[in-house]
Amino acid sequence: MGLGGVQFMEFMNVRYASTVVEGLRFGEEETVQAGLAEVQKNLASGLAENVASMSEVAVAAADSSVPIAALQHLIDYVHIQTGLPWWLSIAATTLSIRIMLLPVLVYQMKATARLTLLRPELERITNSIKESGYDPKVTEVNQARMKALFQKHKTNPFTPLMGAFLQAPIFISFFFAIRNMAEKVPSFKEGGALWFTDLTTPDSFFILPVMSGLATLLTVELGAVDGMQGQPMMSKMKMFLRGFAVLIIPATASFPKALFCYWLTTNMCSLVQTLVLKQPAIKRAVGIPETAHLAPPVTAAPTAGASIMTLSQPPKRTKKDRR
């Protein structure tokens, strides 16, 4: 039916207007119908995929603790909003969290470097306490000096442990969250790429465990303990980290591939962070004191450990000390 050269067409109970003077041919009408059907099909398919993903993760997160469930939903949110496959969604979530934590880690590096620069003064205070025979009055005075020194330089003996205290809960949460998703999210079976398409099974080629171990070792060798030059425990810590990097390979060989999407990403973040923050210009820009010029102590005199001890109470005097 036409009116004033404008024709109206009724399709699926919706009235569409056309300014075309000539009537639509039958073939054109079929093309419009096919196009609308295809759009409707794609929308329904995308909606069904998102709902399926949400229901999969909801099932996986149902029996998890609050932090782990929240992390699983965060990974799923990134997966849905970006359209990335699961392995890239895990990597993107990891990268985002590492970027948010960067200011805290830079603060830790600054405080650790300041503590290293204070080592000579801390040694003098500790030796003064020891030479006095741990006299209560001398100990009290030196404890006050030590506390004032820490306050002035905005550091303390526990600062080097800040990174471990901060990152350990995040690592544990990621570990259990991803392992749980690998067990209970069916789409993880096709969520990978290349040789690790199935994220729910271990890497039979051992490529991912070896890559994780090498990335950790490379980070250690390039300066993972920067800022601790001159500390008595530096060499032992470096040897421990080297051994840890080697043990990662057999220890993680049975892990599902999904876990390495997190582990390799966080290792690469650590590697880049180490390389960038080693640069003198970057150190100056963020306020990290330079400690590379410090040499290791000649003797194994107690420093940070001793200062922790004297901040609480002096050790008991032995017969040898009384003499």
Side-chain angles (χ1 to χ4, degrees):
M1 185 172 63
L3 179 61
V6 179
Q7 295 181 333
F8 291 86
M9 176 184 65
E10 191 132 355
F11 174 68
M12 296 180 65
N13 297 325
V14 179
R15 189 174 297 273
Y16 291 86
S18 172
T19 57
V20 181
V21 176
E22 297 182 357
L24 287 174
R25 292 190 295 272
F26 181 72
E28 292 175 332
E29 185 176 348
E30 281 190 334
T31 302
V32 172
Q33 290 177 354
L36 290 173
E38 184 66 22
V39 171
Q40 189 177 20
K41 179 182 176 181
N42 291 338
L43 289 174
S45 175
L47 180 61
E49 184 180 348
N50 288 348
V51 171
S53 172
M54 291 176 65
S55 62
E56 286 177 355
V57 175
V59 171
D63 58 350
S64 302
S65 63
V66 174
I68 294 173
L71 191 54
Q72 290 172 336
H73 285 300
L74 178 59
I75 296 172
D76 185 45
Y77 177 81
V78 172
H79 173 64
I80 292 173
Q81 295 298 318
T82 63
L84 294 172
W86 280 117
W87 74 279
L88 278 176
S89 299
I90 295 171
T93 305
T94 303
L95 179 61
S96 300
I97 292 178
R98 285 298 300 257
I99 291 174
M100 287 190 293
L101 291 177
L102 187 58
V104 179
L105 297 177
V106 169
Y107 170 80
Q108 177 206 346
M109 292 185 68
K110 289 194 288 187
T112 302
R114 292 189 193 113
L115 183 63
T116 299
L117 293 174
L118 288 179
R119 179 177 57 82
E121 183 66 22
L122 294 175
E123 285 183 349
R124 284 192 289 271
I125 294 175
T126 303
N127 290 336
S128 176
I129 294 174
K130 187 175 180 180
E131 290 168 2
S132 72
Y134 302 103
D135 180 88
K137 292 183 178 180
V138 175
T139 300
E140 184 179 356
V141 170
N142 281 283
Q143 283 180 341
R145 286 177 58 198
M146 203 174 291
K147 288 180 180 178
L149 203 60
F150 291 145
Q151 290 175 358
K152 178 181 177 182
H153 294 275
K154 299 178 181 179
T155 187
N156 62 70
F158 302 101
T159 303
L161 302 176
M162 183 187 299
F165 288 141
L166 181 65
Q167 295 187 67
I170 296 175
F171 171 80
I172 293 171
S173 297
F174 261 106
F175 178 84
F176 285 109
I178 296 173
R179 190 179 69 172
N180 191 40
M181 293 175 79
E183 293 174 354
K184 298 178 181 179
V185 177
S187 56
F188 261 48
K189 289 184 176 295
E190 297 85 29
L194 303 176
W195 77 94
F196 58 97
T197 303
D198 186 352
L199 297 179
T200 65
T201 58
D203 185 358
S204 58
F205 299 106
F206 300 101
I207 296 175
L208 294 175
V210 170
M211 288 176 65
S212 295
L214 289 177
T216 302
L217 183 60
L218 190 58
T219 302
V220 173
E221 295 303 323
L222 289 176
V225 289
D226 270 5
M228 297 186 65
Q229 286 84 351
Q231 294 285 0
M233 292 298 293
M234 178 181 172
S235 59
K236 292 181 180 179
M237 182 178 295
K238 200 164 187 177
M239 288 302 298
F240 169 79
L241 292 174
R242 286 170 177 162
F244 176 73
V246 174
L247 290 175
I248 280 177
I249 299 173
T252 61
S254 61
F255 288 175
K257 302 183 192 78
L259 282 169
F260 293 98
C261 299
Y262 161 72
W263 206 325
L264 273 172
T265 303
T266 196
N267 282 347
M268 294 307 297
C269 288
S270 297
L271 183 58
V272 172
Q273 172 187 308
T274 299
L275 288 172
V276 171
L277 294 178
K278 275 175 66 75
Q279 306 305 315
I282 301 296
K283 282 187 173 182
R284 288 193 296 270
V286 298
I288 300 176
E290 184 58 65
T291 58
H293 61 283
L294 296 178
V298 178
T299 60
T303 53
S307 63
I308 296 173
M309 178 173 57
T310 55
L311 279 174
S312 54
Q313 61 180 18
K316 295 181 179 179
R317 297 174 61 186
T318 62
K319 292 182 179 178
K320 185 178 178 180
D321 291 329
R322 293 192 185 101
R323 294 195 194 104

